[in-house]
Amino acid sequence: MPNDNILHNDIRVFKSKPDGPVVEISNTALTYPALDRKTVPGKAPLANNVSIHLHEFLKQQGVESHFAERAGKQEQAVFETEQLPFDLLIRNLAAGDLVSDFGLEKGHRFPEPLVEFFVRPDSLEKKPTRVSEGHLLAFDLIDPEDLDVVNETALRINDLLTGVFFGIGVHLIDIRMEFGAHFFDEDSAPVIMLNSELSPDTMTLWDIKSEKPLDSSLAFTGDGDGLGGYKEIVRRFNLDSANAALKRQSK
């Protein structure tokens, strides 16, 4: 967890509160790894509902993450972690920069999920750098044992969420993840866990039948107000009722 009281980090804002750290989901949509940004009013509560739903599902499957509980309409209480200095991107089908950079056909399915690593820059205005596992180890960004944990956990998350989205008629094209180390107590070794939002902000999602995007990319294509993908994922997961209940509680 960043030491600053408030740190703007892409689509999230980390806050330190007396009861513990909180992540506030913002109304910022982000392309990755290009890092184009756009404000999408009304996005945060929708993204937060999807994120909480997926985190709770993974928790039921025994996957460790920094998510603790809902803390508000667009906030989550989280465990404090020391964030690892890189992102992991798992691609199931080719899309985005992978198509333009390598000349692959859009929608090309890989025999096995393709795992990529990106080192975060020292400024939000700079693009992350694609690196290999060798770079991560050579630069002492992570120990070999911890890298094995990251890879194993990320692939399991991808497998679980691919099935969840398939169940609502959606292809999980790719997913970006971050990881951190959490100390449950002073005497125990740190536990590597997912330290990432899980929503259309961090995924490329296509409708299985039409291949229409159902993610944050709609904010950059002039397709309505940019909320179409978020609303459709919320509808298919039947999270509208949860959102309505939350509104009633806040009155």
Side-chain angles (χ1 to χ4, degrees):
M1 178 66 57
N3 293 324
D4 302 305
N5 183 45
I6 296 179
L7 174 68
H8 288 271
N9 180 13
D10 299 340
I11 50 182
R12 300 176 294 171
V13 181
F14 291 87
K15 297 181 177 180
S16 296
K17 292 191 174 183
D19 294 336
V22 168
V23 168
E24 178 183 331
I25 308 302
S26 76
N27 280 326
T28 300
L30 178 81
T31 62
Y32 193 88
L35 300 189
D36 297 324
R37 292 173 174 80
K38 188 172 183 179
T39 299
V40 183
K43 174 191 79 72
L46 297 169
N48 195 40
N49 281 349
V50 176
S51 177
I52 289 172
H53 175 70
L54 295 178
H55 272 291
E56 289 178 340
F57 165 74
L58 290 178
K59 185 176 182 180
Q60 293 172 357
Q61 306 305 311
V63 177
E64 298 275 9
S65 84
H66 74 160
F67 171 77
E69 61 183 2
R70 180 189 289 275
K73 186 168 70 172
Q74 61 190 74
E75 292 183 326
Q76 302 173 17
V78 296
F79 298 114
E80 186 170 357
T81 61
E82 293 182 6
Q83 195 168 11
L84 299 180
F86 59 85
D87 297 341
L88 180 149
L89 186 61
I90 294 188
R91 308 195 192 239
N92 300 305
L93 282 76
D97 66 305
L98 208 59
V99 173
S100 58
D101 290 352
F102 296 97
L104 295 174
E105 181 181 354
K106 181 180 177 181
H108 169 79
R109 181 177 292 278
F110 301 106
E112 299 290 338
L114 175 64
V115 181
E116 295 183 305
F117 297 93
F118 291 83
V119 172
R120 300 190 197 102
D122 56 5
S123 168
L124 289 178
E125 302 307 317
K126 298 179 182 178
K127 294 181 181 180
T129 302
R130 183 185 277 118
V131 297
S132 67
E133 289 189 8
H135 286 102
L136 298 179
L137 297 174
F139 300 156
D140 292 326
L141 298 179
I142 189 171
D143 294 332
E145 297 80 7
D146 289 339
L147 182 56
D148 289 341
V149 173
V150 166
N151 276 322
E152 181 180 347
T153 304
L155 288 169
R156 182 158 187 252
I157 291 170
N158 177 67
D159 183 56
L160 289 168
L161 294 187
T162 294
V164 166
F165 278 106
F166 187 81
I168 61 169
V170 175
H171 276 314
L172 176 59
I173 305 301
D174 57 54
I175 176 172
R176 176 167 67 99
M177 305 182 212
E178 301 171 28
F179 288 85
H182 174 68
F183 293 82
F184 282 97
D185 57 63
E186 295 181 356
D187 299 325
S188 63
V191 175
I192 300 298
M193 60 175 54
L194 181 68
N195 184 28
S196 181
E197 183 193 354
L198 297 172
S199 81
D201 285 329
T202 59
M203 306 171 186
T204 301
L205 303 169
W206 294 352
D207 177 77
I208 288 178
K209 292 182 178 180
S210 68
E211 296 190 352
K212 177 183 177 181
L214 295 172
D215 51 54
S216 60
S217 65
L218 295 176
F220 300 89
T221 60
D223 190 338
D225 57 7
L227 292 174
Y230 299 92
K231 290 180 178 178
E232 181 62 13
I233 296 300
V234 165
R235 186 191 70 79
R236 295 193 190 191
F237 277 137
N238 195 28
L239 301 178
D240 287 312
S241 57
N243 192 40
L246 184 64
K247 287 182 178 179
R248 288 195 296 269
Q249 293 173 8
S250 64
K251 290 182 179 180

